[in-house]
Amino acid sequence: LLELEKEGLIVVKFGVRRVVELSEYDIRELYQVRLILEKAAVELATQNTSPENRMALSMKLQEMEEAFARKDIHTFIRNDLETHLLIWSQSNNNRLLNMLKSMVGPIFMFMATNAEYYPWKETVELHQDLVTAINSGNTYRSVKSIERHINSALHLSLSMSQKRKVLALSQN
């Protein structure tokens, strides 16, 4: 429980631990920071590309595409996260990697709990563009790709948050 709390997946209120629920403010705040950190990671990862890194990213993307084709949401989400972890690792900056890891838990938990609203095809396409840009060694294109990716994820997360609110109100 302490590890989950450290990762931001559990919060303590009045001595009781609960799974975190992100407000729209929380979502905007997380994505503001994530965009800055992801751009730095992608820029460094693009500069550090190697045959081994290109192969690892391409294989992880292929696993994501296969999970999408099978409609295996759990594997898809895991591959989405693992793709980002590969990019962050490829940055060769441990402090950046640790910061991104520490904040991504709530984002991916939110995504997993809202899977029915998620545009999986668009997510695959955004990852295809990102991996292609990084593997080509084009830093400018890579940074623009991650900007599109994170901005899309932000808008989607805000939309999902609104849908959850409407659903909760309709059930009351």
Side-chain angles (χ1 to χ4, degrees):
L1 287 175
L2 292 175
E3 186 63 32
L4 293 173
E5 188 177 332
K6 184 175 135 188
E7 291 180 24
L9 301 174
I10 290 179
V11 293
V12 178
K13 288 186 181 179
F14 309 112
V16 178
R17 286 185 171 86
R18 295 198 168 119
V19 175
V20 69
E21 289 190 32
L22 299 178
S23 68
E24 288 183 24
Y25 181 82
D26 294 326
I27 293 167
R28 288 181 191 282
E29 204 174 52
L30 281 167
Y31 277 98
Q32 284 174 343
V33 174
R34 183 179 176 196
L35 177 60
I36 293 165
L37 297 176
E38 287 264 19
K39 284 170 58 174
V42 163
E43 184 174 344
L44 291 169
T46 304
Q47 294 168 6
N48 294 327
T49 194
S50 68
E52 295 81 16
N53 290 339
R54 286 191 293 274
M55 178 65 77
L57 279 175
S58 295
M59 288 176 61
K60 190 52 62 184
L61 177 62
Q62 182 177 350
E63 290 175 24
M64 179 187 281
E65 293 166 340
E66 291 168 359
F68 170 69
R70 292 189 315 269
K71 296 182 181 6
D72 181 350
I73 300 305
H74 296 294
T75 302
F76 184 91
I77 292 169
R78 188 183 75 244
N79 281 296
D80 186 343
L81 176 58
E82 289 173 359
T83 300
H84 288 274
L85 287 169
L86 278 172
I87 293 166
W88 304 340
S89 295
Q90 190 173 319
S91 75
N92 290 332
N93 185 316
N94 288 323
R95 286 177 174 75
L96 180 60
L97 174 64
N98 289 334
M99 282 190 274
L100 280 159
K101 280 181 174 180
S102 74
M103 65 169 296
V104 78
I107 292 171
F108 277 89
M109 178 172 270
F110 180 81
M111 184 178 87
T113 59
N114 293 281
E116 70 266 23
Y117 305 117
Y118 219 76
W120 302 106
K121 185 177 189 301
E122 178 184 336
T123 303
V124 169
E125 291 167 355
L126 287 165
H127 282 85
Q128 289 168 334
D129 184 64
L130 180 60
V131 168
T132 299
I134 291 170
N135 284 349
S136 74
N138 185 328
T139 302
Y140 176 81
R141 183 174 167 212
S142 298
V143 169
K144 289 299 177 191
S145 181
I146 196 65
E147 286 175 348
R148 281 189 304 279
H149 180 61
I150 299 303
N151 285 325
S152 173
L154 168 61
H155 293 303
L156 177 63
S157 294
L158 291 172
S159 173
M160 287 188 292
S161 178
Q162 285 294 322
K163 286 178 184 178
R164 286 179 64 113
K165 280 183 186 176
V166 169
L167 183 61
L169 288 173
S170 70
Q171 292 175 345
N172 289 336

